Structure formats: structure tokens, C-alpha cells
Amino acid sequence: MKIIARFEISYYQILNETSEIVGTLPSFAKDNEHLLRLYRIMVLNRVFDTKAIALQRTGRLGTYPSSLGQEAVFTGIGDAMLKNDILVPYYRDYAAMWMRGIPLSDILLFWGGDERGNLQGGEDLPFSVPVGSQGLHAAGIATALKIRQEKRAVLTTCGEGATSQGDFYEALNIAGIWKLPIVFVINNNQWAISVPRSQQTAAATLAQKAIAAGFQGEQVDGNDVLAVRERVDVALTKAREENIPTLLEMICYRQCDHTTADEATRYEPKGVRDLEWKKEPIMRLRRYLENLKIWNQILEEQLQKECTAEVEKAVQAYLATKPAPASDMIDYLYAKLPHTLFEQREQIKQVGDQCHG
Amino acid sequence: MAEITLVEAINQALAYEMQADPDVILLGEDIGKDGGVFRATVGLLEKFGEERVRDTPLAESMIAGLAIGMAMQGLKPVAEFQFMGFTYPALDQIINHAARMRNRTRGRLSCPLVFRAPFGCGIHAPEHHSESTEAIYAHIPGLRVVIPSSPQRAYGLLLSAIRDPDPVIFLEPARLYRWAKQEVPDDGKGLPLDRAFILQSGEDVTLISWGAMIKETLSAAQKLKKDGISVEIIDVATIKPLDKQTLLTSIEKTGRCIIIHEAARTGGVGEHISAELAEQALFFLKAPIIRLTGYDTIVPYAKLENYYLPKEQQIIDAVQRVLEFA
């Protein structure tokens, strides 16, 4: 007998639970303005989530998945990506999408039931609801970038539940074989609706799934925006410069129900969430900023007001958006509507006119 | 000009469009050195290189998902599935993503791609290799479903499918791959993707078919001609969108209609055509619409598959039957 393969999985943390620097401080983290920007975006994300849930509870928004407690993951991603990289999100990536130019009102439009919420985003993909299937689109996009020899990268996200899907493995597999410029990010928030991480896989980490596909996977403290930002940046650079894929497993905790249609009290053990809350990303960075003497209560209150105003503006824009004409449901089905569908289009138009008339 | 088979016409169309458009990329299992299990891509790796003729790992959902991503970047992937029965792992990708990306982004992103697959029984293939489930795809809004039944139509329809800005399911009747040969000028001319083809004009009865059953339909018509019966034959070819108008015009003329398809009867495309004709041409009909189809059972293995397919004699009998109505 001889050992023919071994592997190791690294875990990265820079700012620990008690807001102490425990890793090497990356250069961006030496820039106070940069730190403040990351903080502001995480707070905006949280204010947005709170408001969106309130809208849903009052019947003005459809089912909504919150990103509470996971703000560092999506803020770090959004901050590390370059404008001409491509984001292939799942459905909690609000901070990253907002940083890439998607108005908050578009996100509300989407969850409010209006396809026009997907209208903006350039080459980025819209939310992907069928769990796990988007990794393959990211791989296809990365293939196109590589064929055209563009120095750009694709970043795709999913939850830890999605790692049980065949498509997830197929995407990792092809990224390894074709050496694609791609970064896979797992937002391991410990819950896939009611099923805990321990029931998705017996593997010690999700990061090690990359090893079987022939490239590196690593774990990152997903409550530490500095570590997230740094490791995503390193992975994106490897993708852009050397066509090396990476899998990043962000360890955090879903501090909310799966969506507004879910009730975590049915399955989540009591006390766990409170315990995990001690690690949450926003207070962790805030204490650090306060230690640096660049943050205080007055600035905090001011920021809360600004974020509330910004979100309120988005809500007003969303609520003021009139429904699209009924014929929109068929006008974008094909580049050019086949003549065989003209009759149905006319019927749709008539139904729409009657309802609005 | 040399005559070529249907599968050679597929190859000729692929080569033509790859030459004309550098964005056309082929992907699939064994399509490179091996030239595809039916040899549809033979010689293309040598001509266009590994970057554009890509052998993939053995994972059909992956093939579809990759093609979707590539297409959203403006490439024109033409993906081969080895058999229709192996497109099923890709259904999620095809239905949930390829078919609706344009619609759900209101035109921002789109999937100009072709999914090719041989389909149908009668080639003594192993289990799962004889599927004829085109109705699954015809049911999905946002897709086009195209089925050629001659070398010329295979060439022209495949060119148009690749050039089309939306996803096309292109089903190639395996039983006809090497059946009849035709001259197929390599002129790059596409055929329309929303028009049925009238293969033969006639006055007494309309035979509507597609795919491999065109073979029996043509030979039945030959025999009927000897009895002085004038048959109109329509190859639907584009199952979706369905060219209802050509079918209606024909029924208005003949007043009699037989639909022949290999797929199982229940929920087959014939059911849809029959319903449309009954709804819109009832008063032109002189006889009930008859469907000759595969049975509502799993396509049998090789020993019994011949019993599964509608027969030339059944078509002749059905024509006699509808002619008995005044």
C-alpha cells in the first residue's frame, strides 16, 4: 500500500469574532475609506432586507429571501469583482448586485412579480431560482471568455444545499478539465430551508469538493468581510490571469427564515441563532472601526438615516411602477414572434385591456 | 453532383456554418476524433480544431448548461446529445433556462443555440435509444422543435436553426440517417422554421407526418396512386411553431386527414394537430380525423420494435376508410 493522494483545506479569517486582527491585513484593509465603504454597504443591505420583509408582511411584496447575517459574503464579492467580470448569482446576492449597478428597486420588482426587475445587469445573469443549475451557465460563460482570450472572470454563487445537486459537480468538473476562469462561492449558511448542513453531505467541508474536480477549495469566515473580500480577490485574480478555477466555502449563518414563506422555529434548535449572532458580520466590523476611532454612535445614526432614505427611495420607485402591458408576457418569448402566435398575442392583449379598462 | 445521406447533409450544414460564422461552436460526447456516434461531425475536428469542436465529459445536463452560458455570451453553440433518451437529464436546463432566458430578462439575454439529437426507433438500438418524445419539447414555450426528413431539408433546416436567435431542439430521425440519398447543393441556403412542407399535392386526402414516418407515408401514397387515389403529403417539419395555416388550407381542399407519427398516441403532437383542425376546419371535414401512431407503451427492444411502428398498410387502410365517407 502507498498513499497516492492527500489534500488539505485552509480556513481563512482576518477579523475574528471579537474584532481583533488575526490574519495578515491585506492592503485594501489599511485604507480606512475602503473599510467604511464595506461597512456602509453591509448596513444598507440589512436595512434593505428589513424593509423588504416589512413590505411582504403588509402585502406589498411577494415571497422574499432575506440575506440577514450573510451581508459580508455578498459585500465582499461585490467589492472584489471588477466591473467587466461577470456575476452569476443565486438569489440572496443583493449587496453584490447593487454594487454592480442593479437598483434596489429592480430587486423589489423581481420579488414583487415583475420580470422587468431582470432588465438591468449587462452581461450579469439574473437571480437563479432552480437550485444549483447556474454553476453550469457560469462555466459556459467562462468558456466563451476563454475562447475569446479575454482577461475576465466569472463568479457564481450558490447555497450549501445546492452542492448536493448533480449540476454543481458537473460545473466544478468541467471548470477543472477546461481550466476555466471561474470562482465558485458557496454561501454556507448552514440551512437549506429546514435541512441542516450535516444532512447535505458527510464530507468534513464543502470546500474539498473542489479537490475531486482538480483544483483548490478553501473555507473562509463568511462573517468576516475582510477575509471574504481578500479571498475572492485572490481567486478572481487567479481566474483572470491564469485560468485557474477556485471554490470558496463561506461559513456563516442564516439569521432569518429561508424566505418569508418559511418558519424556522419549526426546525431550528432553540438558542443556536443567538449563539451565532455573536459572530455576525456588521457588529464585528463596527467594533473594529470604533477601535480605529473612525466610527461612533453619531456616524452610525447618520448612516442608518441615509440607508433608510436610500431604501425608501427604492420602495417608492418600486411601488410607483405600473404593471407592464399584458402582451409583455409573450412579446419577449422569441426574438421575433412566430406568426403562429399572433392570434394568442391578440387574445392576451384583449384580456389585458379588459382588466385595465 | 454526388448524392448524400441525411447524416451527411447534417455534416455539410455544420461545416458550412462553422466556416461562415466563427461563433459557431460544437460540443458533445464523442463528437471530436470519433466524429459522433452516427458520424454527424466527422472531419470537423480536423478542419476547425479543438477549440470549436469540443468533446465534453459524459454529462448531458452539463452539455446543456454550458451551451446556455456560451450562448448568452454571443456564441452559437450546437450541442449534440447522442440519443434523444439522453436529453432527459438536461430537461431542467432546457426548460428552466434555455427556453425562458430571453423572456425573463425581457430581451436582455438570450440563448441562440441548437440542441441536436437523433431520435426514433427502428435501428435495432439498445434500450433507451429509440425515444420519440418530441411532444415534451413542443409543449415548452420559448423553444423551437425542428425535425427534418430528407437530406435537403436536414441541410436547410439545420442552417436556419443555427442562425435562429432562439433555442432550437433539432431532432434527427435515426432511421432516415442513411436511407434515401439526395443531391444537396452546399449553397448555405436555409429553409424557413415556421412552414410545413407540402411534399406532394393531391385532392382526395391529406397525410400529415414528420420524421421517420415520412418514409411509410411516401410509399403508401405511391401505392394509392396506382389505385387512382390522389394524396397530399405534408411534412410538418417544424413541430413548434406549428404551421397551422398550411395544414388548414390542405384540409379545406381535401376534407380528409390522417396524421401519422411514431411517438406514443396520448399527448402526442398528433393530438394537438387533430384538435386544432377539428376546432377550425370542422365544416370542411368529410370524415373523422384519423391518427396512426405508436402505441401508448414503452418503445420495445429490437425484437418487437417493428410491431410498434405504424405500417404502410395501415396508412393505406386508413385512407380507404376515410374515402368511404361521402
Side-chain angles (χ1 to χ4, degrees):
Chain A
M1 191 277 277
K2 58 182 178 181
I3 306 293
I4 55 161
R6 286 183 199 278
F7 70 90
E8 288 176 343
I9 298 297
S10 312
Y11 175 82
Y12 289 89
Q13 187 185 52
I14 295 173
L15 191 66
N16 75 4
E17 293 160 33
T18 50
S19 305
E20 293 151 339
I21 297 294
V22 292
T24 314
L25 207 59
S27 57
F28 79 84
K30 293 170 188 159
D31 172 3
N32 287 347
E33 275 311 310
H34 203 141
L35 294 176
L36 290 169
R37 192 162 73 238
L38 293 172
Y39 182 70
R40 288 193 185 103
I41 291 162
M42 289 200 293
V43 170
L44 177 67
N45 186 356
R46 188 164 292 180
V47 171
F48 178 72
D49 271 330
T50 309
K51 183 68 190 182
I53 292 168
L55 287 172
Q56 191 279 334
R57 298 293 186 224
T58 51
R60 290 175 292 170
L61 193 73
T63 299
Y64 178 82
S66 166
S67 56
L68 185 64
Q70 303 146 76
E71 298 89 348
V73 172
F74 301 109
T75 302
I77 288 170
D79 194 55
M81 287 184 76
L82 297 181
K83 186 66 200 163
N84 72 349
D85 290 333
I86 296 174
L87 176 66
V88 179
Y90 78 125
Y91 50 75
R92 295 186 206 270
D93 317 42
Y94 310 126
M97 292 170 84
W98 180 78
M99 291 167 87
R100 295 181 61 71
I102 305 286
L104 296 176
S105 53
D106 279 16
I107 295 169
L108 294 173
L109 275 176
F110 177 84
W111 292 114
D114 190 327
E115 286 88 345
R116 291 173 299 177
N118 294 329
L119 209 46
Q120 300 192 59
E123 294 168 89
D124 286 2
L125 263 51
F127 296 109
S128 187
V129 175
V131 169
S133 50
Q134 69 276 19
L136 286 169
H137 309 156
I141 292 169
T143 305
L145 298 181
K146 194 178 176 190
I147 287 174
R148 295 197 298 249
Q149 299 182 327
E150 298 178 32
K151 295 268 177 212
R152 302 161 68 191
V154 186
L155 184 144
T156 183
T157 63
C158 65
E160 86 287 348
T163 66
S164 299
Q165 293 275 8
D167 278 7
F168 174 78
Y169 291 93
E170 293 179 20
L172 295 187
N173 191 45
I174 197 65
I177 299 166
W178 284 358
K179 297 185 174 56
L180 297 177
I182 187 168
V183 178
F184 297 93
V185 177
I186 304 164
N187 177 36
N188 178 1
N189 65 16
Q190 315 304 328
W191 292 99
I193 307 189
S194 68
V195 177
R197 151 69 179 85
S198 60
Q199 288 185 51
Q200 296 294 342
T201 173
T205 72
L206 300 173
Q208 73 202 55
K209 309 256 169 189
I211 306 299
F215 56 91
Q216 282 303 306
E218 57 188 56
Q219 275 193 343
V220 181
D221 182 347
N223 287 312
D224 171 6
V225 73
L226 304 186
V228 171
R229 201 275 178 200
E230 171 64 6
R231 296 319 299 171
V232 172
D233 180 48
V234 168
L236 282 170
T237 306
K238 274 202 298 193
R240 280 185 219 111
E241 302 299 324
E242 302 170 79
N243 287 314
I244 296 174
T246 307
L247 173 63
L248 302 174
E249 178 189 359
M250 306 294 180
I251 310 290
C252 61
Y253 195 81
R254 199 187 76 199
Q255 288 289 344
C256 50
D257 297 332
H258 164 65
T259 65
T260 48
D262 175 40
E263 242 179 292
T265 48
R266 293 169 58 82
Y267 51 81
E268 189 183 22
K270 277 199 177 70
V272 180
R273 199 185 281 194
D274 292 343
L275 213 63
E276 290 289 334
W277 185 250
K278 296 194 170 94
K279 306 177 197 165
E280 70 92 11
I282 294 186
M283 183 48 81
R284 188 188 297 203
L285 185 60
R286 180 177 168 179
R287 274 193 308 256
Y288 180 62
L289 299 178
E290 285 172 352
N291 292 344
L292 290 176
K293 310 283 183 219
I294 57 173
W295 201 250
N296 56 42
Q297 188 57 31
I298 296 162
L299 289 170
E300 179 67 24
E301 282 167 19
Q302 197 184 325
L303 175 64
Q304 290 287 341
K305 265 189 216 154
E306 285 166 14
C307 290
T308 305
E310 166 120 23
V311 168
E312 197 49 46
K313 218 168 67 188
V315 170
Q316 290 314 318
Y318 157 64
L319 293 174
T321 306
K322 294 203 169 65
S327 53
D328 262 27
M329 79 169 78
I330 199 164
D331 280 345
Y332 299 93
L333 192 58
Y334 298 93
K336 185 165 169 277
L337 194 70
H339 64 89
T340 55
L341 287 174
F342 288 174
E343 195 184 327
Q344 288 189 40
R345 184 185 185 276
E346 209 42 51
Q347 290 165 0
I348 292 168
K349 243 173 79 82
Q350 276 173 21
V351 171
D353 290 346
Q354 280 160 13
C355 292
H356 285 107
Chain B
M1 185 184 295
E3 294 191 324
I4 60 173
T5 61
L6 194 151
V7 71
E8 286 163 343
I10 297 286
N11 184 276
Q12 182 173 300
L14 291 171
Y16 183 93
E17 205 57 10
M18 290 188 80
Q19 189 67 48
D21 183 351
D23 284 336
V24 176
I25 308 278
L26 308 190
L27 66 159
E29 296 156 9
D30 308 297
I31 66 162
K33 272 192 185 143
D34 197 34
V37 288
F38 283 100
R39 308 289 175 259
T41 56
V42 81
L44 299 178
L45 172 71
E46 292 74 8
K47 198 161 179 204
F48 298 103
E50 286 179 349
E51 198 81 327
R52 296 184 63 198
V53 181
R54 305 178 80 98
D55 266 330
T56 65
L58 211 167
E60 286 81 8
S61 183
M62 185 211 66
I63 292 171
L66 279 175
I68 290 165
M70 292 162 84
M72 283 190 281
Q73 274 292 308
L75 295 177
K76 291 180 177 166
V78 181
E80 175 175 303
F81 295 99
Q82 274 184 351
F83 288 87
M84 186 176 205
F86 308 134
T87 65
Y88 304 152
L91 276 175
D92 173 52
Q93 289 290 346
I94 296 172
I95 298 173
N96 277 326
H97 297 292
R100 70 181 74 193
M101 195 54 79
R102 179 189 295 283
N103 183 66
R104 67 190 290 261
T105 61
R106 293 298 187 246
R108 175 166 66 89
L109 298 168
S110 59
C111 293
L113 55 79
V114 180
F115 292 128
R116 292 181 42 241
F119 85 119
C121 70
I123 57 164
H124 313 301
E127 199 175 6
H128 302 287
H129 290 63
S130 302
E131 302 289 289
S132 209
T133 46
E134 64 273 20
I136 293 177
Y137 294 105
H139 190 63
I140 306 305
L143 297 179
R144 289 177 181 275
V145 182
V146 179
I147 300 176
S149 65
S150 76
Q152 286 174 4
R153 287 192 291 283
Y155 178 81
L157 289 170
L158 183 54
L159 284 177
S160 294
I162 300 172
R163 293 166 191 168
D164 191 81
D166 290 302
V168 180
I169 308 292
F170 196 86
L171 301 172
E172 301 161 8
R175 196 156 62 92
L176 301 191
Y177 261 154
R178 294 182 172 81
W179 173 54
K181 288 187 170 192
Q182 267 183 327
E183 288 187 356
V184 183
D186 196 11
D187 54 10
K189 282 191 186 143
L191 287 166
L193 293 183
D194 53 1
R195 301 281 172 203
F197 295 86
I198 300 172
L199 302 188
Q200 176 181 313
S201 285
E203 302 300 324
D204 300 328
V205 57
T206 303
L207 302 185
I208 298 173
S209 190
W210 57 89
M213 286 314 299
I214 287 288
K215 182 173 176 241
E216 283 72 18
T217 305
L218 285 168
S219 63
Q222 280 293 324
K223 294 199 171 151
L224 288 160
K225 197 176 169 188
K226 287 177 193 149
D227 297 333
I229 299 165
S230 167
V231 170
E232 180 143 308
I233 300 177
I234 300 179
D235 175 9
V236 176
T238 54
I239 300 297
K240 188 186 188 74
L242 181 72
D243 177 15
K244 221 161 49 182
Q245 198 49 55
T246 297
L247 306 182
L248 280 170
T249 307
S250 177
I251 303 313
E252 286 169 12
K253 177 173 67 174
T254 64
R256 297 179 183 89
C257 173
I258 298 165
I259 303 162
I260 306 119
H261 66 64
E262 174 175 338
R265 189 171 184 82
T266 301
V269 175
E271 210 171 83
H272 170 60
I273 292 174
S274 176
E276 289 282 0
L277 294 177
E279 216 173 295
Q280 298 187 38
L282 180 67
F283 299 111
F284 293 95
L285 286 171
K286 299 171 187 157
I289 298 167
I290 290 183
R291 284 175 297 144
L292 299 174
T293 69
Y295 299 103
D296 282 335
T297 187
I298 309 298
V299 184
Y301 295 5
K303 301 272 190 211
L304 296 183
E305 69 180 339
N306 211 31
Y307 300 111
Y308 172 85
L309 287 171
K311 298 282 165 305
E312 179 196 283
Q313 191 56 46
Q314 286 172 276
I315 301 172
I316 293 169
D317 293 348
V319 168
Q320 307 285 11
R321 238 156 63 215
V322 294
L323 284 172
E324 282 168 18
F325 290 84

